[in-house]
Amino acid sequence: MIEQVQERDPRVVFEIIGGQDVYRLYRSMPRVTVVHPMKWPAYEAFLDQPGRHIGLAPLLELPFNRARSCTKFFDITRAGAAGIYAVAGACGGFVRPGIDGLVLPMRPNAWAEAILQLARDEPARQSLAIAARERLQT
C-alpha cells in the first residue's frame, strides 16, 4: 500500500513507529522513516512536533486488537493530523466517519485511495483534525 501511494503521489512521506523488524521491512523504501519506540515523555514530545498531516491506525481483526482502546485516536489528534482508522477495534466504533476521522475496512486499496484523497484535499484534512481536537476538548 505504501508503494502504491508513493507511486501516485511523490510528495507523500511515511513515518512508522517500530523496532528493528519494522526497520528491516521498510529500509529500502524511499520516503519512509522508521522511528524506534520510545518512553512516554519522549513520545509525547514526538507527537507535539509539527508537520504531520495524516495518521494511520490499521488493525487486523484479531482478539488482541478487539480489546484495545482508542488511544490511536488521541495520538493522531495530538499530532494535529487527520486520522484513518480500521473498522476493527475501538477506534472503528469511536470515530465518527467523515466527521472526526475516516473509518475503513482493512483493504489496502481503500487505504491507499483515502490517503491520496486526503493528501490532495487540505480543507478535508483540516476539517477532520479540527473536529477530532474539538471532540477531545468536550
Side-chain angles (χ1 to χ4, degrees):
M1 186 264 314
I2 291 173
E3 292 168 327
Q4 178 183 357
V5 169
Q6 288 185 333
E7 284 174 8
R8 292 179 54 195
D9 189 337
R11 300 171 304 138
V12 177
V13 176
F14 286 86
E15 185 176 75
I16 302 169
I17 297 177
Q20 286 298 319
D21 55 334
V22 174
Y23 172 74
R24 281 190 292 276
L25 186 63
Y26 293 104
R27 70 180 168 202
S28 65
M29 294 183 73
R31 300 183 319 279
V32 175
T33 301
V34 176
V35 178
H36 294 287
M38 57 198 85
K39 293 184 178 184
W40 182 247
Y43 184 62
E44 286 182 302
F46 173 76
L47 289 176
D48 290 338
Q49 293 175 356
R52 294 181 184 89
H53 304 286
I54 302 168
L56 307 177
L59 283 177
L60 296 174
E61 183 64 41
L62 300 170
F64 177 79
N65 288 337
R66 283 193 295 272
R68 297 179 84 160
S69 70
C70 58
T71 56
K72 290 300 175 193
F73 180 84
F74 298 107
D75 292 347
I76 290 169
T77 301
R78 181 174 183 155
I84 303 175
Y85 306 90
V87 170
C91 286
F94 179 78
V95 173
R96 298 172 298 178
I99 299 172
D100 51 22
L102 301 179
V103 179
L104 300 174
M106 287 299 297
R107 291 195 319 264
N109 286 343
W111 283 68
E113 289 303 322
I115 292 165
L116 290 164
Q117 178 185 357
L118 285 178
R120 290 187 299 263
D121 191 346
E122 184 175 351
R125 282 196 321 268
Q126 290 298 318
S127 177
L128 293 172
I130 289 167
R133 213 169 25 254
E134 289 173 351
R135 184 170 185 198
L136 293 184
Q137 292 173 351
T138 58

